[in-house]
Amino acid sequence: MGSVNYEKMLVSDKVFVRVSLGYFDFVEKDTSDVFYGTDNYISKDRLRITPICLGANYMVGNKWRLELGGGIAYWIISYEGESQLTDFGGLTEVSGGGNYFNLYSTIGLRYQKPGRGINFKVGLSPTYAKIEGEEATFNFPHLSIGYSW
């Protein structure tokens, strides 16, 4: 799981827009037959998600800042497998690929000196997804390092 982000300040040290491209991979292996052993499995289902996000964030503070924001995430999903995933964040009917618009929010703590320099972020990004008719909330933690110029 990872992403590359670009942020552009709209209001100096307060409001910025963010564009990101991410990737994560969820694999489920069915090992219910004890005769196969621990390294073998009966079936393997793989869900790959490439999210493209666009959002806005607001920061409060000087060097240590509270960061609040939200936006829209466009998920490009591919699925490989013989059956459905039994559970992916509360979704139980994922059995194919597709493209889906989802909403996300973010809350976190950011260390960034005013002006140029390295910044660090830690936080949580709840994502509200609707995939193949099912709804779920994913609470994605985030940890990042960046550079401001």
Side-chain angles (χ1 to χ4, degrees), residues 67-115:
E67 185 176 279
L68 303 168
I72 192 162
Y74 182 69
W75 283 14
I76 303 166
I77 297 177
S78 68
Y79 178 81
E80 300 168 11
E82 300 170 8
S83 60
Q84 297 175 335
L85 289 176
T86 56
D87 186 20
F88 175 68
L91 300 173
T92 58
E93 302 296 322
V94 178
S95 61
N99 302 323
Y100 303 92
F101 282 101
N102 301 306
L103 299 175
Y104 76 91
S105 59
T106 187
I107 183 168
L109 185 63
R110 178 181 185 131
Y111 175 79
Q112 177 178 334
K113 292 181 184 179

